[in-house]
Structure formats: C-alpha cells, structure tokens
Amino acid sequence: IEKDSVAWRFQTGATELSFSGHIHETLEVWDKNGVRKPKLSADDSSFLTHSSIIIAKDYIIEQSIQSEIVIINEAHHLPYHRTFTRSLLADLFENGYRYLGLEALFDSTINERKFATLSSGYYTKEPEFGNLIHEALTLGFTLFSYEASVGKNGKEREIEQADNIQQFISNNPNGKVLIHCGYAHAYEHEYPSWGKAMAGRLKDNMKIDPFTIEQTVFLEKSNPENNHRFIQQNNLSVPFLLLHENGSFYTGKNTDIVVIHPKTTYSDGRPYYLIKHREKYIVPNEKLPKNSSSLILAYRENEYEKEGIPTDIIEVTETKNSAALFLPKGKYTIIIKDANYNILERYNIEIE
C-alpha cells in the first residue's frame, strides 16, 4: 500500500486486508482516503430526536412478504455487510425467495458445485462472502451473476445489469429474487451521470417496485469519535433502523430504508459478527511456528483441495497473537502457512 502510487490504493488495500481477516486494519487503511469530523445536519438531528429504533432484520423480513424483489448493497471492504445479508437468507427463503443475484459472481458452475472457489470472483474470495454463498446454496437458493460485459461502465453498466436481471427473472418466474450489489447500484432515483442506477432501471423496466436496502451511508470509522452520531448514540449489538414518530424511516432519499450497523466490538481480536452463533476453536500452540508469523485457514470438509474459500482465516503475529477461529458446527481442514506461504501443518477437526 505504501509503495503504490495509484489514487485508489487505500480502497484496494483495505479490501485486500479484509480477505485475511484484518478487520480493524481494514478500517484504518480505508480512512486514509480522508475522514471528516462527523457533523449532524439539522434534518438528521431532528430525525434522531424524534425517532425510535427498529431491529433491521425484523422489518426487512416483514416487508419481504409483500415484495417480489429485494435489493441490498454493500461496501466492498466491509465483511459485516455480507454477514447481515446472510442473516436474512433463511427467513427470505421461507417467504418465497429462491434466487440470489450477485454482482461479484463470475462462476457458471457454482450451483452444481455448491460452494465458491478462488476463481468464482474477486470479492467472493473474502470468507464472509464465501459463507454467504455457502449458506444460500445449502438453503436451496439458485445463484446467478448479472454483471455487465467487460468494458461497460457508468450508464451503460447500469442498463446492462438491469437488463440481465430482468432476463433472468423472465426465464425463472417461479420464485422471488434477492439482489446483493455494491454501493449506489441499489439506488432507485436519479443518480449523477448514470441517469438511474441498476435498481431504478429495473424498477422502470419491470414496473415492479423493489424493496431497496442501503448499508453504505454510515460506514464505521477506525476511530469511534469519527463515527456518525446515529452510530454513536446507540449501543445496540445488531443492525437497526430509525423510525420517525411520523411513521417514516430514515431512507437517505435513494432507497426504501437505511440500515445502520453498530460499532464493531471485538473478542480475542475477532469482530462480534463472526463470533455470533459459532464455536470458538483455539489452534494448539505446538502447531504454530515459534517467533514468526503464520496464516491459519479453516476450510469446510473437502473444499481445500478444490480451491474453496476458507470459512474463517486469521494471521498470527508477534503483536497479534490470538489463534482463535470461530466456526459453525461441522468438519474442517485446518491449514497453517508460514510467511512464505509454505504449509506447516494440515489437520482435520470437527466442531460439535
């Protein structure tokens, strides 16, 4: 990152760090783009004063019953956005959702294989994205890619994305659709230089109003003092919405709702959203190299040989010495590599 000279090096660097579980470092590097001290506008201040808190997941699942298409976005460097989408899957499936469209997916055989690999896409290499894909396929979702052709950008990209989704839906009418995209692609209204984003064009083309969910308005900062007041004023441990006393949600004017994520808390150096509903597994000291860094990867059974995505990954260093993985129940292959990526240990475990 320090040697790179391109303007977007901090965005790329933060994303790469997220792939190996360096969550707080991800925030620190992203913030090198520049951080403004948070200012609460008069409108936001009024909204905060006259609002109550609603658990985001509960409201989304309720709204999904009467919707045919749900569109949710992410910031590409923040795994917890994928964790939140994954938390919705089981209830959405129960409400009739059968298809999951992923902007980041480039894999024509994933529905047969049932898991993502290193060649499935760029962002899909991140463990929480791999876990999102695994859960969707396990539940019975059919995944599809809708990204535009190589070289299409701006307005052309939005048009082609919307066309691709519409074509998929017309060919697969027996089920509702969840779309997971990046940033402004989820916006329904006019957008500078694009005319309209993918979601707005899909809405116009299909004459169906999608339920749109924004996660990227209030991004967490590495220094909690720089977080927006909407984050600072609440101590919830789950994503939430602000509901004004007049009955309207905070929407950011581009989507139906804006999800606000809580400040990340850590245990054993790992973020809260990885710990929930998982079992802690500590790698024995005798398996770790002495006085050097190591990379520890946990793969679902039989996925390592096929270049699968690890369920969890940590780097152990002299300053970051927690060797705690957090894993759902199941069988895993543990791989430990040294700083030169040589395999030092390989063994199997079962989390019960």
Side-chain angles (χ1 to χ4, degrees):
I1 298 170
E2 292 173 355
K3 293 178 180 178
D4 204 340
S5 60
V6 298
W8 57 88
R9 63 188 182 279
F10 297 125
Q11 293 98 312
T12 303
T15 301
E16 293 281 347
L17 280 165
S18 74
F19 292 168
S20 291
H22 295 285
I23 304 306
H24 189 70
E25 293 88 340
T26 293
L27 300 179
E28 290 178 330
V29 170
W30 185 268
D31 287 351
K32 289 183 178 181
N33 289 305
V35 176
R36 296 178 181 177
K37 282 288 184 183
K39 292 183 179 180
L40 203 64
S41 69
D43 288 344
D44 284 357
S45 178
S46 174
F47 206 101
L48 182 62
T49 302
H50 298 284
S51 293
S52 57
I53 291 173
I54 302 294
I55 303 302
K57 178 181 176 180
D58 294 344
Y59 181 75
I60 290 169
I61 298 305
E62 178 185 327
Q63 289 300 114
S64 73
I65 296 173
Q66 61 196 35
S67 300
E68 294 296 321
I69 303 172
V70 171
I71 302 176
I72 184 168
N73 69 358
E74 69 163 32
H76 296 313
H77 67 295
L78 295 178
Y80 62 75
H81 288 171
R82 295 152 192 162
T83 307
F84 181 66
T85 297
R86 180 166 58 85
S87 76
L88 305 172
L89 292 176
D91 290 313
L92 289 176
F93 193 84
E94 188 172 329
N95 288 347
Y97 288 77
R98 294 295 181 267
Y99 305 109
L100 171 59
L102 298 174
E103 172 188 293
L105 184 66
F106 299 90
D107 187 340
S108 61
T109 60
I110 196 165
N111 291 301
E112 292 73 38
R113 190 189 318 111
K114 300 299 183 186
F115 61 91
T117 68
L118 292 173
S119 59
S120 293
Y122 174 68
Y123 297 113
T124 54
K125 292 183 289 189
E126 189 276 313
E128 282 303 273
F129 215 140
N131 292 331
L132 164 64
I133 288 171
H134 177 267
E135 177 122 348
L137 291 168
T138 300
L139 286 167
F141 278 89
T142 296
L143 273 56
F144 69 98
S145 174
Y146 61 87
E147 183 55 281
S149 307
V150 175
K152 294 288 181 66
N153 290 296
K155 181 178 179 180
E156 286 186 332
R157 185 184 179 199
E158 303 306 304
I159 291 172
E160 190 167 327
Q161 282 190 349
D163 288 345
N164 290 342
I165 294 170
Q166 183 176 4
Q167 183 63 46
F168 180 88
I169 292 173
S170 66
N171 292 336
N172 299 272
N174 299 320
K176 298 182 179 183
V177 178
L178 171 65
I179 303 293
H180 183 92
C181 63
Y183 294 104
H185 300 299
Y187 291 0
E188 294 187 46
H189 307 299
E190 295 292 327
Y191 191 80
S193 78
W194 292 355
K196 284 190 176 181
M198 172 270 290
R201 293 183 180 279
L202 191 64
K203 178 178 180 178
D204 290 346
N205 294 350
M206 297 192 66
K207 304 298 186 285
I208 294 177
D209 188 8
F211 180 54
T212 50
I213 304 164
E214 163 71 272
Q215 295 192 89
T216 70
V217 168
F218 303 112
L219 299 182
E220 182 181 10
K221 305 297 189 291
S222 57
N223 182 348
E225 293 182 1
N226 292 328
N227 284 332
H228 192 277
R229 281 274 302 282
F230 285 2
I231 300 175
Q232 293 182 15
Q233 291 290 102
N234 295 286
N235 295 316
L236 288 182
S237 60
V238 294
F240 59 93
L241 311 172
L242 289 179
L243 176 62
H244 197 275
E245 60 189 19
N246 67 10
S248 64
F249 282 95
Y250 188 92
T251 65
K253 300 178 182 178
N254 289 305
T255 56
D256 291 314
I257 57 171
V258 170
V259 173
I260 305 167
H261 288 269
K263 181 176 74 70
T264 301
T265 56
Y266 298 85
S267 177
D268 292 291
R270 313 306 306 285
Y272 76 94
Y273 54 86
L274 290 180
I275 295 171
K276 292 173 66 176
H277 311 302
R278 300 187 188 185
E279 299 297 324
K280 181 178 178 180
Y281 170 74
I282 299 178
V283 177
N285 282 333
E286 60 268 22
K287 293 190 177 294
L288 299 174
K290 303 241 188 299
N291 303 318
S292 65
S293 299
S294 59
L295 196 64
I296 306 172
L297 310 96
Y299 292 88
R300 281 175 285 268
E301 188 178 32
N302 299 322
E303 292 188 14
Y304 172 67
E305 294 81 357
K306 300 172 183 176
E307 296 193 325
I309 309 301
T311 301
D312 196 11
I313 182 172
I314 53 173
E315 183 179 355
V316 177
T317 66
E318 291 181 6
T319 58
K320 192 174 181 180
N321 55 17
S322 173
L325 295 164
F326 287 87
L327 302 168
K329 293 179 181 179
K331 295 180 179 180
Y332 297 90
T333 299
I334 305 298
I335 303 291
I336 301 177
K337 298 182 179 182
D338 65 15
N340 295 315
Y341 293 89
N342 299 311
I343 296 179
L344 302 176
E345 293 277 353
R346 173 179 174 169
Y347 62 97
N348 299 322
I349 62 169
E350 182 171 4
I351 304 296
E352 299 179 343

